[in-house]
Amino acid sequence: MTGAPPAVLVHRDAEVLAAAAAARLVTALADAQAARGSASLVLTGGRNGIAVLAALAAAPARHAVHWGRVDLWWGDERFLPEGDPDRNATQAREALLDGLPLDPARVRPMPASDGPHGADVAAAAKAYAAELAAAPGAFDVLLLGLGPDTHVASLFPGLPGVREEERWVVPVTGSPKPPPTRISLTLPAIRSAREVWLLAAGPDKAEAAATALSGADPATAPAAGARGTERTLWLVDETAASALPRA
Ligand SMILES: O=C1O[C@H](COP(=O)(O)O)[C@@H](O)[C@H](O)[C@H]1O
C-alpha cells in the first residue's frame, strides 16, 4: 500500500488525547505556515474529532496559528440542511470555528441538502470535488475519526465509496450510520494529504483499531487504507489501544 506506514501514539484517556492532538495541530499548522505561508486542514466529525476542536478552543497556544491563512475543508458531511445540529460543520463551528479569526473565503464546508444543489447529493459531491480541484497544494493535515465498524470519513465497509479510485469526492447513500445520505472524500483524496491523523478513544474503537492496523483490506476495513504521503499517525487512548499487539 502507498503512503507512510502508521505510527501509533497511545494517550491515557480521551481528554488527554484531545488536548495532545490539539497541541500537535497547533505545531503542524504553524510549521506549515512557516514553510509555505499558509496551511490546509481537513476536519472530521465524530466525537473524537469535535473533542480535539473543543480542546483547541481552550488552548492559549491556538494563537500561534495565523488563522486567516488556514484553508479549512471537511473529510465528510452528513447531507442535512444548513445549520442542522448533526452536520459536522455545525458542530465544528460551535466547538471552535466561530471563535477564530478565519477568512470566510477559506472555509469550505461540504454542501448542505438545502444548498444550491438541493437534495441532489451527487451534484453536491461533484461541486465539492470541483472546489477541491481548483485549490492549489496538498492538505497539510487531514483528521479522521474511526467508526466502530472501521469506517473513516463516510467510507463504510462494503459500500461502493471505499472502492473509488478516480473521484476525490463521492455521494454516499444507504449509510449504516444515520443519516443515510452523506458526502465523503475518498481514499485517493485522503492519501493525497501530507499527514493523516486517525483519532480513536473508547473501548468501542478497540476492535476497529486492531483490525485496521493488522493490514486488513481497505474494502472491508476502510481505516486500513487511510495514509498520508509523509506521515500516518494513529492517536488513540488506552481503551482504544487495548486490542493492539503490545509491540
Ligand atoms: O458519522 C461520522 O462518524 C465518524 C466516527 O464518529 P465517532 O463519533 O464514532 O468518533 C466520523 O469520523 C465522521 O466524520 C462522521 O461523519
Side-chain angles (χ1 to χ4, degrees):
M1 187 180 306
T2 59
V8 182
L9 289 181
V10 183
H11 294 292
R12 190 184 64 196
D13 55 35
E15 198 181 338
V16 173
L17 166 60
R24 186 177 286 281
L25 199 49
V26 166
T27 303
L29 296 177
D31 283 354
Q33 291 182 331
R36 289 177 288 280
S38 65
S40 169
L41 170 64
V42 182
L43 297 175
T44 178
R47 60 179 195 258
N48 302 133
I50 299 300
V52 172
L53 302 188
L56 194 48
R62 72 188 181 283
H63 298 301
V65 176
H66 191 312
W67 291 101
R69 287 192 273 114
V70 175
D71 289 290
L72 283 182
W73 302 91
W74 269 261
D76 77 310
E77 189 53 277
R78 295 114 182 231
F79 197 54
L80 296 167
E82 185 65 42
D84 189 291
D86 282 337
R87 265 177 66 81
N88 291 334
T90 309
Q91 294 178 12
R93 286 187 197 284
E94 285 172 2
L96 173 70
L97 307 186
D98 284 348
L100 293 179
L102 292 158
D103 175 354
R106 297 177 84 149
V107 179
R108 286 133 168 150
M110 288 180 163
S113 62
D114 58 353
H117 314 286
D120 186 345
V121 67
K126 208 169 167 185
Y128 202 68
E131 259 191 84
L132 269 175
F139 305 130
D140 289 300
V141 178
L142 185 146
L143 301 175
L144 291 171
L146 173 72
D149 57 356
T150 72
H151 83 263
V152 286
S154 285
L155 301 176
F156 292 89
L159 290 194
V162 77
R163 293 184 184 276
E164 179 63 43
E165 289 179 357
E166 302 295 328
R167 290 176 296 173
W168 274 31
V169 188
V170 286
V172 177
T173 54
S175 157
K177 178 179 177 182
T181 309
R182 293 158 171 257
I183 299 173
S184 186
L185 296 193
T186 59
L187 288 178
I190 290 169
R191 289 192 193 121
S192 75
R194 289 191 176 89
E195 299 203 15
V196 169
W197 302 359
L198 290 108
L199 309 161
D204 58 321
K205 307 293 169 80
E207 281 309 317
T211 303
L213 285 165
S214 69
D217 178 355
T220 55
R227 291 187 172 194
T229 56
E230 296 176 9
R231 194 175 210 195
T232 307
L233 267 187
W234 280 68
L235 302 172
V236 301
D237 79 342
E238 286 180 4
T239 57
S242 60
L244 298 179
R246 270 286 168 224

